[in-house]
Amino acid sequence: MVVHPSLSEDALDRLFHALADTTRRNIVARLMGGEHATVSSLASRYEMSFAAVQKHVAVLEGAGLVTKHPQGRERIVRGNPEQLARARVLLAQLEQLWSARFSQLDAILAEPSRRTP
Amino acid sequence: MVVHPSLSEDALDRLFHALADTTRRNIVARLMGGEHATVSSLASRYEMSFAAVQKHVAVLEGAGLVTKHPQGRERIVRGNPEQLARARVLLAQLEQLWSARFSQLDAILAEPSRRTP
DNA sequence: CAAATATACAACCATATGGTTGTACATCCT
DNA sequence: AGGATGTACAACCATATGGTTGTATATTTG
């Protein structure tokens, strides 16, 4: 089985911070959707400087949401769905805490009626 | 059926930003886990000032992850799992984009062999 | 009523963030 | 070789963030 190393608090900070920006979420969506992307081709899609987009990509890379692969003078940027999944799993675990609040009470209520001893 | 209003980009920014801090994720975990919480009781758990925790709670509230309910001089803080679910759904959608990249190719490969006309 | 408690909020500070422009360097193309 | 293209990176700026302390206002309690 494949081991899913859990992320440090610091890595989680970077991961959610990377997702907390419209432009960066948009870039992630493009990449996950399979758009062939160099830093330049990404930059051409947004109303901001090349350097600004470059910084956004660096933030995504630091969060592990994206990888860069040199190819000649270009850098191909690819999405990393596993990191996205780790963030999703953490949220699911937090939700699980919520539902766990009631599971014991549910069990008691679901129990076939039995007089208290 | 219950309608799930989708969030604005701005709301998503606030939502992920709220999650991008260890202390705030910890607060969310406590609340989802059912810990009875006033702002003070939360503040007592962390090595920072009351005002600092108060600000963290305000950020969580602004992101919709938490609600405050006045009760005498106290404010009861409760977790809102629906907002957590909205963030999770967005991540799942991004992951879905990734898997959709291959579905068409998969379909072609899975098709019973048929000579090109 | 007076003291203690819970919260709110303003002012302040250091650092981070998101943007800009400019410069340097590597690679591709004619 | 030399110009054009793609990337990296530094310096700078305005604003946001995460923390502090201090003050004000409600509410509970003795």
Side-chain angles (χ1 to χ4, degrees):
Chain A
M1 179 194 168
V2 177
V3 177
H4 243 306
S6 61
L7 299 167
S8 68
E9 292 299 311
D10 218 72
L12 286 171
D13 287 359
R14 268 175 284 139
L15 182 46
F16 284 109
H17 172 254
L19 290 166
D21 178 280
T22 304
T23 302
R24 287 195 292 262
R25 282 193 304 276
N26 197 276
I27 290 174
V28 169
R30 289 184 187 285
L31 294 175
M32 295 296 167
E35 182 164 321
H36 177 273
T38 62
V39 183
S40 296
S41 71
L42 284 173
S44 69
R45 308 304 199 100
Y46 302 95
E47 301 254 311
M48 64 184 75
S49 68
F50 173 82
V53 174
Q54 207 179 14
K55 280 193 190 179
H56 281 305
V57 172
V59 169
L60 290 171
E61 192 182 19
L65 284 167
V66 139
T67 54
K68 277 191 292 191
H69 305 85
Q71 193 151 304
R73 65 182 157 185
E74 304 183 325
R75 304 299 141 102
I76 308 297
V77 187
R78 293 210 209 100
N80 177 15
E82 289 190 22
Q83 197 73 347
L84 222 38
R86 293 202 186 94
R88 178 177 48 76
V89 164
L90 185 128
L91 298 183
Q93 286 172 343
L94 289 175
E95 290 176 70
Q96 176 59 32
L97 285 177
W98 173 269
S99 35
R101 293 178 62 170
F102 308 105
S103 62
Q104 194 176 348
L105 179 59
D106 284 353
I108 292 168
L109 294 177
E111 200 171 321
S113 93
R114 192 181 47 167
R115 304 202 19 225
T116 53
Chain B
M1 178 195 167
V2 177
V3 177
H4 243 307
S6 60
L7 300 166
S8 69
E9 292 297 312
D10 218 72
L12 286 171
D13 287 359
R14 269 175 284 138
L15 182 47
F16 284 111
H17 169 70
L19 291 166
D21 178 280
T22 303
T23 302
R24 286 195 293 262
R25 281 194 305 276
N26 197 276
I27 290 174
V28 169
R30 287 183 189 286
L31 295 175
M32 295 297 167
E35 183 164 322
H36 176 275
T38 63
V39 183
S40 296
S41 71
L42 284 173
S44 69
R45 308 306 198 100
Y46 302 95
E47 301 253 313
M48 65 184 75
S49 69
F50 172 83
V53 173
Q54 207 179 14
K55 279 194 191 180
H56 280 306
V57 172
V59 169
L60 290 170
E61 191 182 20
L65 284 167
V66 139
T67 53
K68 275 191 293 191
H69 304 85
Q71 193 152 301
R73 65 183 157 184
E74 305 184 324
R75 305 299 139 101
I76 308 296
V77 188
R78 293 211 210 99
N80 177 13
E82 288 190 22
Q83 197 73 346
L84 223 37
R86 293 203 187 93
R88 178 177 48 75
V89 164
L90 185 127
L91 297 183
Q93 286 171 343
L94 289 175
E95 291 176 69
Q96 177 59 31
L97 285 177
W98 173 268
S99 34
R101 292 178 63 168
F102 308 105
S103 62
Q104 193 175 351
L105 179 58
D106 285 352
I108 290 168
L109 293 177
E111 199 171 322
S113 91
R114 190 181 50 167
R115 303 202 18 224
T116 52

